[in-house]
């Protein structure tokens, strides 16, 4: 099942079912008006939403309408909790080597994670409006899971069962602001503006064999200003999503609608490219002694997409332009 949220003038938008080919949509208001409403009552809502999806995919929904991804908000336009991990240790290893950083104790056993802002997510075609190019504007391609209520102390195996939807995001970062915030020990704030989400959230079964071990076993295609940037594979997470959820739930319950991110998709094999500019710059520092790639400028465009085994887009594409914020 595929779900999206369309703009309707309200903060939380209109929940719709989307066909597998991303061509058609069906209003889900008879079950839930918003995705947050649906996830809070998932045992009742899921089979009813699935029945609508079955009708839509069978061509048996006369009230279906053409799906326009440019009108999509983030599938969950705002979340009570957004926690982002760093589950691809190849990314951290590159940063450590490039900047001559001290190793983080226990990083191979305990996931890194910070709590981000979930109040203002962007849609896949919304502009990325930011104050200044000097802040080091970067994109970051990631995978994300949406969970129902997760109990305190939930283990990794149990956590997999709490994953109800999978999403793909551009976790925008401001690299010039990050070093100071990391040194304070309080985590990111200014360095992490609003994240952007691909148009569609999917149930794990939509991935078929590509969903296993709590990982998305598909490459994430990234281009910048129309040029290939990378296609790192999501299956190479050091920590699966079950482990990330268990980490977040060690000392707290996670409310229904909590989002957990994978961190930048990264592979040790450099020929696959990268999913963020910072990683390419780190490779350049290691190989050439200095970065050669600049960060994004106003007017730049970033494109992200995930293709299934059938060559069709799984989540719909992210296609965004960076613009100067109007004061």
């Amino acid at each position: 099942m595929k779900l999206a949220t369309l703009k309707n003038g309200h903060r939380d938008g209109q929940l719709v079912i989307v066909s597998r080919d991303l061509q058609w949509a069906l209003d889900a208001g008879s079950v839930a008006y918003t995705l947050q409403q649906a996830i809070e009552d998932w045992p009742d809502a899921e089979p009813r939403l699935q029945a609508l999806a079955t009708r839509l995919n069978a061509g048996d929904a006369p009230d279906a309408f053409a799906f326009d991804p440019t009108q999509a908000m983030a599938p969950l336009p705002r979340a009570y909790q957004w926690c982002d991990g760093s589950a691809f240790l190849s990314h951290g290893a590159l940063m450590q080597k490039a900047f001559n950083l001290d190793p983080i104790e226990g990083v191979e056993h305990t996931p890194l994670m910070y709590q981000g802002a979930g109040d203002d997510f962007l849609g896949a075609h919304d502009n990325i409006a930011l104050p200044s190019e000097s802040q080091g504007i970067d994109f970051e391609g990631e995978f994300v899971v949406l969970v129902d209520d997760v109990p305190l102390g939930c283990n990794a195996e149990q956590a997999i069962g709490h994953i109800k939807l999978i999403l793909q995001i551009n976790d925008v970062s401001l690299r010039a602001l990050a070093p100071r915030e990391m040194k304070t020990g309080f985590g990111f704030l200014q360095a992490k503006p609003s994240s952007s989400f691909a148009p569609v959230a999917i149930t794990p079964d939509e991935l078929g064999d590509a969903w296993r071990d709590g990982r998305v076993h598909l490459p994430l295609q990234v281009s910048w200003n129309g040029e290939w940037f990378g296609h790192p594979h999501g299956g190479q997470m050091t920590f699966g999503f079950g482990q990330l959820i268990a980490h977040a739930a060690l000392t707290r319950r996670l409310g229904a609608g909590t989002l957990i991110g994978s961190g930048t998709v990264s592979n040790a094999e450099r020929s696959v490219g990268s999913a963020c500019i910072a990683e390419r710059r780190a490779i350049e520092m290691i190989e050439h002694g200095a970065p050669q790639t600049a960060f994004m400028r106003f007017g730049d465009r970033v494109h992200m997409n995930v293709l299934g085994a059938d060559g069709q887009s799984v989540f719909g594409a992210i296609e965004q332009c960076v613009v100067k914020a109007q004061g």
Side-chain angles (χ1 to χ4, degrees), residues 24 55 72 77 82 90 114 117 123 144 176 206 271 293 300:
W24 298 96
R55 283 179 47 210
W82 157 228
S90 57
Y114 74 93
V144 176
E206 289 288 334
S271 66
T293 302
D300 281 6

Side-chain angles (χ1 to χ4, degrees), residues 28-45:
S30 61
V31 179
Y33 293 109
T34 69
L35 184 52
Q36 182 63 39
Q37 182 184 355
I39 199 69
E40 288 180 357
D41 192 24
W42 196 249
D44 177 69

Side-chain angles (χ1 to χ4, degrees), residues 131-144:
S132 173
E133 293 175 342
S134 67
Q135 293 172 336
I137 304 169
D138 199 357
F139 50 79
E140 286 193 63
E142 305 187 18
F143 293 105
V144 176

Side-chain angles (χ1 to χ4, degrees), residues 34-317:
T34 69
L35 184 52
Q36 182 63 39
Q37 182 184 355
I39 199 69
E40 288 180 357
D41 192 24
W42 196 249
D44 177 69
E46 189 274 336
R48 297 168 64 197
L49 291 170
Q50 186 61 64
L52 292 176
T54 300
R55 283 179 47 210
L56 179 63
N57 287 311
D60 184 28
D63 44 351
F65 54 93
F67 177 60
D68 181 0
T70 68
Q71 294 302 306
M73 305 172 73
L76 187 68
R78 52 180 176 163
Y80 289 115
Q81 183 161 225
W82 157 228
C83 298
D84 198 14
S86 184
F88 294 85
L89 293 191
S90 57
H91 176 74
L94 277 173
M95 296 299 173
Q96 179 182 325
K97 184 175 182 179
F99 292 97
N100 196 29
L101 301 173
D102 293 331
I104 299 173
E105 184 178 354
V107 71
E108 301 89 354
H109 309 290
T110 303
L112 300 176
M113 186 173 288
Y114 74 93
Q115 192 164 32
D119 60 315
D120 185 33
F121 294 138
L122 302 178
H125 293 263
D126 292 343
N127 287 336
I128 302 169
L130 294 166
S132 173
E133 293 175 342
S134 67
Q135 293 172 336
I137 304 169
D138 199 357
F139 50 79
E140 286 193 63
E142 305 187 18
F143 293 105
V144 176
V145 294
L146 179 68
V147 300
D148 62 1
D149 288 305
V150 178
L152 182 151
C154 181
N155 65 38
E157 183 178 357
Q158 294 167 335
I160 294 293
H162 289 283
I163 297 172
K164 303 308 175 186
L165 294 168
I166 305 168
L167 308 90
Q168 193 270 306
I169 76 165
N170 172 20
D171 184 40
V172 181
S173 294
L174 301 178
R175 300 299 186 181
L177 303 180
R180 178 190 175 278
E181 293 192 326
M182 288 189 287
K183 287 179 182 178
T184 67
F186 275 79
F188 297 120
L189 182 69
Q190 294 176 337
K192 288 292 185 178
S194 299
S195 299
S196 313
F197 283 71
V200 171
I202 67 171
T203 48
D205 62 286
E206 289 288 334
L207 289 174
D209 292 340
W211 175 250
R212 58 185 186 275
D213 304 322
R215 296 166 172 83
V216 178
H217 288 264
L218 290 171
L220 172 58
Q221 309 285 343
V222 182
S223 63
W224 179 15
N225 291 331
E227 295 185 2
W228 174 87
F229 196 85
H231 59 268
H233 199 276
Q236 294 191 25
M237 291 172 73
T238 305
F239 301 103
F241 276 112
Q243 293 166 288
L244 294 181
I245 295 166
H247 176 78
L250 180 66
T251 59
R252 67 174 87 177
R253 296 175 294 172
L254 306 181
T258 293
L259 291 162
I260 304 287
S262 67
T264 306
V265 179
S266 175
N267 296 171
E269 173 53 57
R270 295 182 184 175
S271 66
V272 303
S274 300
C276 72
I277 300 171
E279 183 169 292
R280 176 181 281 190
R281 285 167 60 91
I283 293 170
E284 292 168 347
M285 291 172 68
I286 293 167
E287 295 182 347
H288 307 291
Q292 300 177 346
T293 302
F295 289 113
M296 300 183 82
R297 306 289 298 272
F298 295 142
D300 281 6
R301 303 192 70 87
V302 60
H303 177 94
M304 297 181 182
N305 204 1
V306 177
L307 304 181
D310 58 1
Q312 299 296 310
S313 180
V314 176
F315 303 94

